Short mmCIF file of all heavy atoms in Angstrom, two decimals:
data_model
loop_
_atom_site.label_atom_id
_atom_site.label_comp_id
_atom_site.label_asym_id
_atom_site.label_seq_id
_atom_site.Cartn_x
_atom_site.Cartn_y
_atom_site.Cartn_z
N ARG A 24 -13.54 -98.01 4.24
CA ARG A 24 -13.76 -97.05 3.15
C ARG A 24 -14.92 -97.49 2.27
O ARG A 24 -15.71 -96.66 1.81
CB ARG A 24 -12.48 -96.85 2.34
CG ARG A 24 -11.44 -96.06 3.12
CD ARG A 24 -10.31 -95.57 2.25
NE ARG A 24 -9.35 -96.58 1.88
CZ ARG A 24 -8.25 -96.86 2.55
NH1 ARG A 24 -7.95 -96.20 3.67
NH2 ARG A 24 -7.42 -97.78 2.13
N ARG A 25 -15.05 -98.79 2.04
CA ARG A 25 -16.19 -99.28 1.26
C ARG A 25 -17.50 -99.01 2.00
O ARG A 25 -18.51 -98.65 1.39
CB ARG A 25 -16.03 -100.77 0.95
CG ARG A 25 -14.91 -101.06 -0.04
CD ARG A 25 -14.95 -102.48 -0.56
NE ARG A 25 -14.92 -103.49 0.47
CZ ARG A 25 -13.83 -104.08 0.95
NH1 ARG A 25 -12.64 -103.72 0.48
NH2 ARG A 25 -13.92 -105.01 1.87
N THR A 26 -17.48 -99.14 3.32
CA THR A 26 -18.67 -98.85 4.13
C THR A 26 -19.02 -97.36 4.04
O THR A 26 -20.20 -97.00 3.93
CB THR A 26 -18.46 -99.28 5.59
OG1 THR A 26 -18.13 -100.67 5.62
CG2 THR A 26 -19.70 -99.03 6.42
N ILE A 27 -18.01 -96.51 4.09
CA ILE A 27 -18.25 -95.05 3.94
C ILE A 27 -18.88 -94.78 2.58
O ILE A 27 -19.84 -94.00 2.48
CB ILE A 27 -16.93 -94.26 4.12
CG1 ILE A 27 -16.47 -94.35 5.59
CG2 ILE A 27 -17.11 -92.81 3.69
CD1 ILE A 27 -15.08 -93.81 5.84
N LEU A 28 -18.38 -95.41 1.52
CA LEU A 28 -18.97 -95.22 0.19
C LEU A 28 -20.40 -95.73 0.14
O LEU A 28 -21.26 -95.11 -0.49
CB LEU A 28 -18.12 -95.92 -0.87
CG LEU A 28 -16.75 -95.30 -1.16
CD1 LEU A 28 -15.99 -96.15 -2.16
CD2 LEU A 28 -16.89 -93.88 -1.65
N ASP A 29 -20.68 -96.84 0.83
CA ASP A 29 -22.05 -97.34 0.91
C ASP A 29 -22.97 -96.31 1.54
O ASP A 29 -24.09 -96.08 1.07
CB ASP A 29 -22.12 -98.64 1.73
CG ASP A 29 -21.49 -99.83 1.02
OD1 ASP A 29 -21.33 -99.78 -0.21
OD2 ASP A 29 -21.15 -100.80 1.72
N GLU A 30 -22.49 -95.66 2.60
CA GLU A 30 -23.29 -94.63 3.27
C GLU A 30 -23.49 -93.42 2.37
O GLU A 30 -24.58 -92.84 2.35
CB GLU A 30 -22.64 -94.22 4.59
CG GLU A 30 -22.76 -95.27 5.68
CD GLU A 30 -24.21 -95.64 5.96
OE1 GLU A 30 -25.08 -94.76 6.02
OE2 GLU A 30 -24.47 -96.85 6.10
N LEU A 31 -22.48 -93.04 1.62
CA LEU A 31 -22.63 -91.91 0.70
C LEU A 31 -23.51 -92.27 -0.49
O LEU A 31 -24.14 -91.39 -1.08
CB LEU A 31 -21.26 -91.40 0.24
CG LEU A 31 -20.43 -90.72 1.32
CD1 LEU A 31 -19.05 -90.37 0.79
CD2 LEU A 31 -21.13 -89.47 1.84
N THR A 32 -23.55 -93.55 -0.85
CA THR A 32 -24.46 -93.99 -1.90
C THR A 32 -25.90 -93.85 -1.43
O THR A 32 -26.77 -93.40 -2.16
CB THR A 32 -24.18 -95.46 -2.28
OG1 THR A 32 -22.86 -95.58 -2.76
CG2 THR A 32 -25.16 -95.96 -3.33
N GLU A 33 -26.12 -94.23 -0.17
CA GLU A 33 -27.46 -94.13 0.40
C GLU A 33 -27.91 -92.68 0.57
O GLU A 33 -29.06 -92.35 0.35
CB GLU A 33 -27.47 -94.84 1.76
CG GLU A 33 -28.85 -95.14 2.27
CD GLU A 33 -28.80 -96.04 3.49
OE1 GLU A 33 -28.22 -97.14 3.39
OE2 GLU A 33 -29.34 -95.62 4.53
N ARG A 34 -26.97 -91.83 0.97
CA ARG A 34 -27.29 -90.41 1.17
C ARG A 34 -26.04 -89.58 0.94
O ARG A 34 -25.19 -89.48 1.81
CB ARG A 34 -27.84 -90.18 2.57
CG ARG A 34 -28.46 -88.81 2.69
CD ARG A 34 -29.19 -88.61 4.00
NE ARG A 34 -28.87 -87.28 4.44
CZ ARG A 34 -28.05 -86.97 5.43
NH1 ARG A 34 -27.48 -87.92 6.13
NH2 ARG A 34 -27.79 -85.73 5.73
N SER A 35 -25.94 -88.97 -0.22
CA SER A 35 -24.79 -88.15 -0.55
C SER A 35 -24.91 -86.79 0.14
O SER A 35 -26.00 -86.38 0.55
CB SER A 35 -24.70 -87.98 -2.06
OG SER A 35 -23.42 -87.55 -2.44
N GLY A 36 -23.80 -86.09 0.28
CA GLY A 36 -23.82 -84.75 0.85
C GLY A 36 -23.82 -84.74 2.37
O GLY A 36 -24.44 -83.87 2.98
N GLN A 37 -23.10 -85.67 2.98
CA GLN A 37 -23.05 -85.74 4.44
C GLN A 37 -21.81 -85.02 4.97
O GLN A 37 -20.77 -84.98 4.32
CB GLN A 37 -23.01 -87.19 4.91
CG GLN A 37 -24.26 -87.98 4.58
CD GLN A 37 -24.18 -89.37 5.14
OE1 GLN A 37 -24.05 -89.56 6.35
NE2 GLN A 37 -24.23 -90.36 4.26
N THR A 38 -21.93 -84.53 6.18
CA THR A 38 -20.79 -83.94 6.88
C THR A 38 -20.02 -85.07 7.57
O THR A 38 -20.51 -86.19 7.70
CB THR A 38 -21.24 -82.92 7.93
OG1 THR A 38 -22.00 -83.61 8.93
CG2 THR A 38 -22.05 -81.80 7.32
N LEU A 39 -18.83 -84.74 8.05
CA LEU A 39 -18.04 -85.71 8.80
C LEU A 39 -18.81 -86.21 10.01
O LEU A 39 -18.83 -87.41 10.30
CB LEU A 39 -16.70 -85.07 9.23
CG LEU A 39 -15.80 -85.91 10.11
CD1 LEU A 39 -15.37 -87.20 9.41
CD2 LEU A 39 -14.57 -85.10 10.54
N PHE A 40 -19.48 -85.31 10.72
CA PHE A 40 -20.26 -85.69 11.89
C PHE A 40 -21.34 -86.70 11.52
O PHE A 40 -21.53 -87.72 12.20
CB PHE A 40 -20.89 -84.45 12.54
CG PHE A 40 -21.78 -84.78 13.70
CD1 PHE A 40 -21.24 -85.04 14.94
CD2 PHE A 40 -23.16 -84.84 13.53
CE1 PHE A 40 -22.05 -85.36 16.02
CE2 PHE A 40 -23.98 -85.16 14.60
CZ PHE A 40 -23.43 -85.42 15.85
N GLU A 41 -22.05 -86.46 10.42
CA GLU A 41 -23.11 -87.37 10.00
C GLU A 41 -22.56 -88.74 9.61
O GLU A 41 -23.14 -89.77 9.96
CB GLU A 41 -23.89 -86.77 8.82
CG GLU A 41 -24.71 -85.56 9.19
CD GLU A 41 -25.26 -84.83 7.98
OE1 GLU A 41 -24.51 -84.63 6.99
OE2 GLU A 41 -26.45 -84.48 8.03
N ILE A 42 -21.45 -88.75 8.90
CA ILE A 42 -20.85 -90.02 8.50
C ILE A 42 -20.42 -90.81 9.74
O ILE A 42 -20.70 -92.02 9.84
CB ILE A 42 -19.65 -89.78 7.55
CG1 ILE A 42 -20.14 -89.19 6.23
CG2 ILE A 42 -18.89 -91.08 7.30
CD1 ILE A 42 -19.04 -88.67 5.33
N CYS A 43 -19.79 -90.15 10.69
CA CYS A 43 -19.35 -90.82 11.92
C CYS A 43 -20.55 -91.40 12.67
O CYS A 43 -20.50 -92.53 13.17
CB CYS A 43 -18.59 -89.86 12.82
SG CYS A 43 -16.97 -89.41 12.20
N ALA A 44 -21.62 -90.63 12.76
CA ALA A 44 -22.82 -91.08 13.47
C ALA A 44 -23.42 -92.31 12.80
O ALA A 44 -23.81 -93.27 13.47
CB ALA A 44 -23.84 -89.96 13.55
N ARG A 45 -23.49 -92.30 11.48
CA ARG A 45 -24.07 -93.43 10.75
C ARG A 45 -23.18 -94.68 10.87
O ARG A 45 -23.68 -95.80 10.99
CB ARG A 45 -24.30 -93.06 9.29
CG ARG A 45 -25.42 -92.04 9.13
CD ARG A 45 -25.53 -91.55 7.71
NE ARG A 45 -26.01 -92.57 6.80
CZ ARG A 45 -27.26 -92.63 6.34
NH1 ARG A 45 -28.14 -91.74 6.71
NH2 ARG A 45 -27.61 -93.59 5.50
N LEU A 46 -21.86 -94.49 10.82
CA LEU A 46 -20.95 -95.64 10.97
C LEU A 46 -21.09 -96.26 12.35
O LEU A 46 -21.05 -97.49 12.50
CB LEU A 46 -19.51 -95.22 10.72
CG LEU A 46 -19.15 -94.82 9.29
CD1 LEU A 46 -17.71 -94.33 9.23
CD2 LEU A 46 -19.36 -95.97 8.33
N SER A 47 -21.27 -95.43 13.35
CA SER A 47 -21.42 -95.91 14.71
C SER A 47 -22.77 -96.59 14.92
O SER A 47 -22.84 -97.69 15.47
CB SER A 47 -21.26 -94.74 15.70
OG SER A 47 -21.48 -95.17 17.01
N ALA A 48 -23.83 -95.95 14.48
CA ALA A 48 -25.18 -96.46 14.73
C ALA A 48 -25.53 -97.68 13.87
O ALA A 48 -26.02 -98.69 14.38
CB ALA A 48 -26.20 -95.36 14.50
N LYS A 49 -25.26 -97.59 12.59
CA LYS A 49 -25.67 -98.66 11.67
C LYS A 49 -24.70 -99.82 11.57
O LYS A 49 -25.10 -100.96 11.37
CB LYS A 49 -25.88 -98.09 10.26
CG LYS A 49 -27.13 -97.26 10.11
CD LYS A 49 -27.27 -96.71 8.71
CE LYS A 49 -27.40 -97.81 7.70
NZ LYS A 49 -27.58 -97.28 6.32
N HIS A 50 -23.42 -99.52 11.71
CA HIS A 50 -22.41 -100.54 11.46
C HIS A 50 -21.61 -100.92 12.71
O HIS A 50 -20.70 -101.74 12.63
CB HIS A 50 -21.46 -100.07 10.35
CG HIS A 50 -22.17 -99.75 9.08
ND1 HIS A 50 -22.60 -100.71 8.19
CD2 HIS A 50 -22.56 -98.56 8.54
CE1 HIS A 50 -23.20 -100.14 7.17
NE2 HIS A 50 -23.19 -98.83 7.37
N ARG A 51 -21.92 -100.26 13.81
CA ARG A 51 -21.24 -100.53 15.09
C ARG A 51 -19.73 -100.40 14.98
O ARG A 51 -18.97 -101.16 15.57
CB ARG A 51 -21.60 -101.92 15.62
CG ARG A 51 -23.07 -102.17 15.80
CD ARG A 51 -23.55 -101.49 17.06
NE ARG A 51 -24.93 -101.87 17.35
CZ ARG A 51 -25.90 -101.00 17.50
NH1 ARG A 51 -25.65 -99.72 17.40
NH2 ARG A 51 -27.11 -101.39 17.76
N LEU A 52 -19.29 -99.43 14.17
CA LEU A 52 -17.85 -99.19 14.03
C LEU A 52 -17.42 -98.16 15.08
O LEU A 52 -17.88 -97.03 15.06
CB LEU A 52 -17.53 -98.66 12.63
CG LEU A 52 -17.64 -99.64 11.48
CD1 LEU A 52 -17.37 -98.95 10.16
CD2 LEU A 52 -16.69 -100.79 11.66
N GLY A 53 -16.57 -98.57 15.98
CA GLY A 53 -16.03 -97.67 16.98
C GLY A 53 -14.77 -97.01 16.42
O GLY A 53 -13.66 -97.41 16.76
N ILE A 54 -14.96 -96.02 15.58
CA ILE A 54 -13.85 -95.39 14.88
C ILE A 54 -13.89 -93.90 15.18
O ILE A 54 -14.96 -93.29 15.25
CB ILE A 54 -13.96 -95.69 13.36
CG1 ILE A 54 -12.75 -95.19 12.60
CG2 ILE A 54 -15.24 -95.22 12.78
CD1 ILE A 54 -12.70 -95.68 11.17
N SER A 55 -12.72 -93.31 15.38
CA SER A 55 -12.65 -91.89 15.74
C SER A 55 -12.96 -91.01 14.54
O SER A 55 -12.85 -91.42 13.39
CB SER A 55 -11.26 -91.56 16.28
OG SER A 55 -10.30 -91.61 15.24
N ARG A 56 -13.32 -89.77 14.85
CA ARG A 56 -13.56 -88.78 13.78
C ARG A 56 -12.29 -88.59 12.94
O ARG A 56 -12.37 -88.43 11.73
CB ARG A 56 -14.00 -87.44 14.38
CG ARG A 56 -15.41 -87.43 14.89
CD ARG A 56 -15.73 -86.14 15.63
NE ARG A 56 -15.39 -84.93 14.92
CZ ARG A 56 -16.24 -84.22 14.19
NH1 ARG A 56 -17.50 -84.59 14.09
NH2 ARG A 56 -15.85 -83.11 13.58
N GLN A 57 -11.15 -88.59 13.61
CA GLN A 57 -9.89 -88.40 12.89
C GLN A 57 -9.65 -89.55 11.91
O GLN A 57 -9.21 -89.34 10.78
CB GLN A 57 -8.72 -88.29 13.86
CG GLN A 57 -7.40 -88.04 13.16
CD GLN A 57 -6.24 -87.89 14.13
OE1 GLN A 57 -6.42 -87.99 15.34
NE2 GLN A 57 -5.07 -87.64 13.60
N ALA A 58 -9.95 -90.78 12.33
CA ALA A 58 -9.76 -91.93 11.44
C ALA A 58 -10.71 -91.86 10.25
O ALA A 58 -10.31 -92.13 9.12
CB ALA A 58 -9.98 -93.23 12.22
#
């Protein structure tokens, strides 16, 4: 959740798809969209 907030700090106004993509690409988090 802190990582998600970091991503929203960097760029607010993201969709779920965008957040998932950034978590996967930048942070190598293998987390489902549902999670």
Side-chain angles (χ1 to χ4, degrees):
R24 289 194 284 268
R25 291 192 304 268
T26 303
I27 291 170
L28 290 176
D29 290 340
E30 287 303 318
L31 291 175
T32 299
E33 196 170 303
R34 192 172 139 254
S35 198
Q37 296 184 60
T38 64
L39 175 61
F40 176 80
E41 291 170 316
I42 294 169
C43 289
R45 290 173 70 102
L46 292 176
S47 176
K49 286 179 62 178
H50 303 281
R51 304 283 188 236
L52 289 177
I54 186 170
S55 70
R56 286 173 50 96
Q57 182 178 2

